[in-house]
Amino acid sequence: MWSLAVASPHPAAAFAAARPRRRPRPAAAPSHRASDLPGGLYGDVSKNMLKPAAAVSVEQAEASAHLPKGDMWSVHKFGGTCMGTSQRIQNVADIILRDPSERKLVVVSAMSKVTDMMYNLVNKAQSRDDSYITALDEVFEKHMAAAKDLLGGEDLARFLSQLHADVSNLKAMLRAICIAGHATESFSDFVVGHGEIWSAQLLSFAIKKSGTPCSWMDTREVLVVNPTGSNQVDPDYLESEKRLEKWFARQPAETIIATGFIASTPENIPTTLKRDGSDFSAAIIGSLVKAGQVTIWTDVDGVFSADPRKVSEAVILSTLSYQEAWEMSYFGANVLHPRTIIPVMKYNIPIVIRNMFNISAPGTMICQQPANESGDLEACVKAFATIDKLSLVNVEGTGMAGVPGTASAIFGAVKDVGANVIMISQASSEHSVCFAVPEKEVAAVSAALHVRFREALSAGRLSKVEVIHNCSILAAVGLKMASTPGVSATLFDALAKANINVRAIAQGCSEYNITVVLKQEDCVRALRAAHSRFFLSKTTLAVGIIGPGLIGRTLLNQLKDQAAVLKENMNIDLRVMGITGSRTMYLKLRTLQRASYTHYFYEATVGAGLPIISTLRGLLETGDKILRIEGIFSGTLSYIFNNFEGTRTFSDVVSEAKEAGYTEPDPRDDLSGTDVARKVIILARESGLKLELSDIPVRSLVPEALRSCSTADEYMQKLPSFDQDWARESKDAEAAGEVLRYVGVVDLVNKEGQVELRRYKKDHPFAQLSGSDNIIAFTTSRYKEQPLIVRGPGAGAEVTAGGVFSDILRLASYLGAPS
């Protein structure tokens, strides 16, 4: 039945009054272009449409059907992406038909991008841009094409006929707007709402063609809201419930397709539910029928523990409490708008977030109090969210302490400029108040505060109004944080170990969230560090390998083989994040380590897998005095001189060592003695001697004539010509009952270091080596008569990589892993 208003004090009220309560079945065939459609302001309204229904009165109809309420209702909401194409609309219909619930109420958005297209129509019309006609054609053709793909026969004809009538009305209305050069908000809302109407009609027909009875609902007939300003509305639940009961009395159905986003004011003026309006519609309707569940269908598998674009390890949460979801959405997480949760909380109706494109995913349930959750530290923090592009405003001064009304004056000034305060933090001494506002609003806030407190600043009662730009907020959210000790400590420990500085902190007594303000440039790193600490293993190590040679490759293999065992048994998560090469890192890394919250381990740089550095540190830290460190530090040179005996030539032994993988690709790198000299420098510096490489006399084992060889192959070809010289030196030692050994020496008494080829008696510990063993003797105040000896394999990719691996695990123990 049509109800036509003769006069109205508000032009939009006329359009509201002109909409049908029940859409009649038109007989006219549709036109195929909106620009070809006739019609006045309200279109071609036939005389038959104005005839009252004679068979049954409204009162009789309303008395004949009662709106049932309770768990028999299942409410679904499908957004624009889900309704984006004819195939997706059919998929939505299939989901509804598979739902075994006794009664189903489905809320739909406009097809993808249609809402923007409709707003664009209004903008063009009020700008007197005649291209609104072409834009209207595009809207018409989009829905006509979807209908032709989806429907057939009489259903197609009925939909296209109604589409024809609607577009004809819109054409006339937009023409009026174009002439006036202006459109009120109500006019715009009325135009834009057609997208939801057409979606609801299409889905209704798609369900009906399967043989399932279905009605569609224009929620402007049911939902009543009161605009409250600030782009928000408040639902009138009592009036909405009355209207829903009347609507259901006229059109009782077990499956109802309802328009999302749109509603009416108490004066029946069209309006919308603003941002995330379709979700809000579903929540309101769910509360009106006291549904068993509200399911929000989207294009993600559920609610993530953090933004997956920033944290690749973010996980889907199986459950959230209403309060947790509320907090997360406030801090920018893509969950639900906070107001969407309000209607369902009253009746403890769960909301489930599911992926229409992955039906097998169970999604995330948002409910009163998730059951069967552990109370450990990791489980109490549900998720992390961030807000970027903020500024921190700090109002500080001794004159604030104990003065009533200071905070009121501060935030009164902020309110006057319409700024949104995201977070507030105040010291208990009342000496300062700081708060975060969007970056785009901070200039107005700062100016307002300087004006408001001009006298206090001049008199010195306030010392400053300071603005800190380029800030972000990181919020940790969890319902059980209030009852679990150590949450804050764990969070700040994770941030500290990531070298993140916290600028401000806020936490309410409910402890649903802990909020910290950070530099914006640190926000993603902080988010990853905090998320890793609570959601992954207790110790997650990102490993970068500098120098991906033989040892580097071997280390990678060891990490790969052991990663699963470490995660299972020790809760250590090792990840190789980068591989690069460098030859100038020792001192630079040490400098960076001292300047930041980091640890620097380099055990394998001296003795491969042997505990040389840790032994030296143990002696020093317990008060022993180092007198001399002497040793065979090169596993390569140890192998060469352990095997250079009898009739064997020096070049043969070097070639054998190279083929066995003990030497560098160019053996001169080992034979030059430079590597041993570096190790002497490391031990000298650890012992307190400030020596440089240039301070160490080194005997090179590379003949002068062969140092200019352009390649390792050339060197190896020419090396045999020097075998006689080496044979003579070996025989001289043998004749004296001695052996040749290439050693490094740190002489703490004389404050010097040396690298040289020495001769040792055959009963000396250095003469007892085999293979590629290293040996280091520590002569100290405690170990003066008999030096402390450390001996073991000193070369080979496996043992050297193992030494590096051992350092990685030591680092993990420093960071909290079980040792």
Side-chain angles (χ1 to χ4, degrees), residues 499-518:
N499 204 28
I500 302 293
N501 184 43
V502 175
R503 288 181 162 175
I505 305 166
Q507 180 176 12
C509 60
S510 65
E511 287 194 57
Y512 291 153
N513 83 73
I514 301 172
T515 305
V516 297
V517 180
L518 319 155

Side-chain angles (χ1 to χ4, degrees), residues 322-609:
Y322 294 128
Q323 291 86 352
E324 288 167 338
W326 196 328
E327 295 282 350
M328 288 179 65
S329 60
Y330 177 80
F331 286 103
N334 188 19
V335 187
L336 294 171
H337 194 278
R339 63 182 182 165
T340 303
I341 301 169
I342 296 172
V344 297
M345 284 181 65
K346 182 177 180 181
Y347 300 105
N348 291 339
I349 301 171
I351 298 178
V352 180
I353 312 295
R354 292 194 63 186
N355 190 350
M356 173 184 159
F357 306 102
N358 184 14
I359 302 295
S360 61
T364 301
M365 176 176 285
I366 301 172
C367 51
Q368 182 63 40
Q369 178 66 51
N372 301 323
E373 289 188 351
S374 63
D376 62 8
L377 186 62
E378 285 68 37
C380 69
V381 176
K382 278 295 189 69
F384 295 89
T386 59
I387 304 177
D388 294 326
K389 298 180 180 178
L390 300 177
S391 289
L392 197 62
V393 180
N394 183 43
V395 182
E396 186 175 308
T398 55
M400 294 173 57
V403 179
T406 303
S408 175
I410 292 172
F411 294 108
V414 174
K415 177 180 179 294
D416 289 343
V417 297
N420 180 29
V421 176
I422 307 296
M423 185 213 79
I424 303 170
S425 180
Q426 180 175 9
S428 59
S429 65
E430 298 183 344
H431 177 69
S432 67
V433 175
C434 69
F435 54 93
V437 297
E439 186 82 48
K440 62 184 179 182
E441 299 173 356
V442 74
V445 170
S446 178
L449 290 173
H450 277 90
V451 170
R452 176 64 183 80
F453 295 104
R454 182 185 294 113
E455 292 183 5
L457 287 166
S458 299
R461 294 193 303 275
L462 288 186
S463 57
K464 61 182 175 180
V465 175
E466 177 187 19
V467 175
I468 303 172
H469 296 279
N470 300 318
C471 294
S472 293
I473 277 179
L474 169 66
V477 175
L479 187 63
K480 294 187 177 181
M481 288 163 52
S483 58
T484 307
V487 176
S488 296
T490 302
L491 172 62
F492 291 114
D493 181 60
L495 296 178
K497 286 174 179 174
N499 204 28
I500 302 293
N501 184 43
V502 175
R503 288 181 162 175
I505 305 166
Q507 180 176 12
C509 60
S510 65
E511 287 194 57
Y512 291 153
N513 83 73
I514 301 172
T515 305
V516 297
V517 180
L518 319 155
K519 291 181 182 178
Q520 186 164 306
E521 64 193 56
D522 292 338
C523 187
V524 173
R525 187 154 51 93
L527 175 62
R528 291 171 178 168
H531 185 274
S532 174
R533 178 60 184 86
F534 284 94
F535 278 87
L536 304 177
S537 68
K538 289 187 177 179
T539 307
T540 301
L541 293 182
V543 179
I545 294 181
I546 301 172
L550 176 62
I551 294 172
R553 291 194 302 272
T554 305
L555 175 60
L556 285 171
N557 289 332
Q558 291 180 354
L559 293 173
K560 177 183 176 182
D561 293 341
Q562 199 66 9
V565 175
L566 290 173
K567 196 165 187 178
E568 178 69 24
N569 297 340
M570 300 179 67
N571 213 4
I572 298 174
D573 187 6
L574 292 178
R575 304 176 181 191
V576 177
M577 306 300 289
I579 301 172
T580 186
S582 177
R583 295 178 179 271
T584 58
M585 300 295 288
Y586 286 121
L587 290 177
K588 291 182 180 178
L589 288 175
R590 262 309 222 176
T591 302
L592 288 173
Q593 179 259 327
R594 292 190 182 102
S596 61
Y597 196 102
T598 55
H599 301 278
Y600 180 43
F601 300 118
Y602 44 96
E603 185 71 79
T605 60
V606 175

Side-chain angles (χ1 to χ4, degrees), residues 31 45 63 220 256 346 736:
S31 171
V45 182
R220 291 178 297 193
I256 301 172
K346 182 177 180 181

Side-chain angles (χ1 to χ4, degrees), residues 750-782:
N750 296 311
K751 298 182 179 180
E752 62 183 16
Q754 300 170 0
V755 175
E756 56 190 3
L757 184 66
R758 287 189 173 184
R759 288 160 49 163
Y760 292 90
K761 293 295 184 180
K762 292 187 176 181
D763 60 352
H764 192 278
F766 287 15
Q768 309 298 314
L769 300 182
S770 61
S772 61
D773 281 4
N774 280 4
I775 187 169
I776 295 87
F778 293 94
T779 303
T780 72
S781 296
R782 296 174 187 161

Side-chain angles (χ1 to χ4, degrees), residues 1-3 14-23 190 218 220-222 243 264 268-270:
M1 177 181 297
W2 283 84
S3 173
F15 294 114
R19 57 181 168 76
R21 290 184 179 172
R22 179 188 290 239
R23 298 268 178 179
F190 180 75
D218 182 345
R220 291 178 297 193
E221 300 178 20
V222 173
R243 294 193 182 192
S264 294
N268 291 328
I269 297 173

Side-chain angles (χ1 to χ4, degrees), residues 644-649 723-740 759 762:
F644 180 42
E645 57 186 12
T647 59
R648 299 200 64 185
T649 65
D723 281 342
Q724 290 185 357
D725 295 338
W726 279 109
R728 187 164 44 255
E729 193 160 357
S730 176
K731 288 179 181 178
D732 289 346
E734 180 69 27
E738 296 172 335
V739 296
L740 297 174
R759 288 160 49 163
K762 292 187 176 181

